[in-house]
């Protein structure tokens, strides 16, 4: 996987791979799940992630003949994330609501990705993996 990311950072249409050097995603929700007094949710309406091509794969599981769940742990030396967002939440008793442009600069991050998948047979008779749910936990150093 690392070799594919490095070899095709701007994508490869032959295998349906998007541009990972500037990956554009829509409707991404980032939530802080905790019992603390701080609860914030960010919904990015459109999000651009830069730096995925420099990642290292630390571990993967789930590579079976009939996969249900894939898990992977990645290390990224630097990721830049920016886009238009909406937010809501609470810090102590103070409500936080807003929207605007957001920018995150994540350094030395460990990312744990859990993907639920289903096999989908397409019109060409081949099986494809369809992502049904994706959860990402991240722990950046900075």
């Amino acid at each position: 996987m690392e070799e594919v990311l490095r070899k095709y950072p701007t994508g490869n249409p032959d295998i349906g791979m998007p541009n990972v050097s500037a990956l554009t995603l829509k409707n991404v929700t980032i939530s802080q799940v905790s019992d603390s007094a701080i609860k914030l949710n960010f919904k990015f309406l459109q999000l651009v992630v830069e730096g995925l091509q420099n990642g290292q794969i630390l571990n993967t599981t789930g590579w079976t003949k009939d996969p249900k769940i894939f898990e992977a742990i990645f290390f990224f030396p630097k990721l830049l994330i920016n886009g238009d967002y909406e937010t809501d939440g609470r810090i102590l008793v103070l409500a936080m609501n807003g929207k605007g442009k957001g920018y995150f600069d994540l350094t030395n991050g460990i990312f744990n990705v859990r993907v639920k998948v289903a096999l989908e047979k397409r019109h060409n008779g081949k099986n494809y993996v369809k992502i049904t749910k994706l959860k990402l936990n991240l722990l950046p150093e900075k």
Side-chain angles (χ1 to χ4, degrees):
M1 289 175 67
E2 286 178 19
E3 185 176 336
V4 170
L5 290 174
R6 288 187 209 336
K7 193 171 184 179
Y8 303 106
T10 58
N12 184 337
D14 293 339
I15 59 173
M17 181 181 165
N19 178 351
V20 294
S21 66
L23 184 64
T24 300
L25 304 169
K26 293 184 179 182
N27 296 319
V28 174
T29 301
I30 299 173
S31 299
Q32 179 184 9
V33 180
S34 71
D35 293 329
S36 73
I38 300 173
K39 295 182 188 209
L40 293 175
N41 298 306
F42 286 92
K43 180 177 182 180
F44 281 91
L45 307 173
Q46 183 160 318
L47 176 71
V48 177
V49 180
E50 297 177 69
L52 291 173
Q53 74 276 15
N54 298 319
Q56 294 175 318
I57 300 165
L58 303 179
N59 189 31
T60 63
T61 60
W63 300 96
T64 64
K65 187 175 181 175
D66 186 22
K68 302 282 187 242
I69 296 174
F70 291 112
E71 288 189 74
I73 300 173
F74 297 92
F75 169 79
F76 292 100
K78 187 167 196 72
L79 280 183
L80 303 174
I81 302 171
N82 63 69
D84 298 322
Y85 74 89
E86 294 175 348
T87 185
D88 67 85
R90 186 172 291 283
I91 297 177
L92 297 174
V93 295
L94 181 63
M96 302 279 296
N97 297 304
K99 60 184 177 177
K101 299 236 180 247
Y103 177 81
F104 293 92
D105 181 343
L106 306 174
T107 303
N108 294 333
I110 300 291
F111 295 73
N112 188 330
V113 181
R114 182 178 171 96
V115 181
K116 288 187 179 181
V117 298
L119 289 179
E120 176 181 87
K121 188 169 284 241
R122 297 207 181 147
H123 66 280
N124 61 5
K126 294 183 179 180
N127 285 325
Y128 290 81
V129 174
K130 180 179 179 180
I131 296 174
T132 59
K133 187 174 183 180
L134 185 141
K135 183 175 182 180
L136 169 69
N137 290 314
L138 59 107
L139 182 60
E141 182 180 284
K142 173 183 161 193

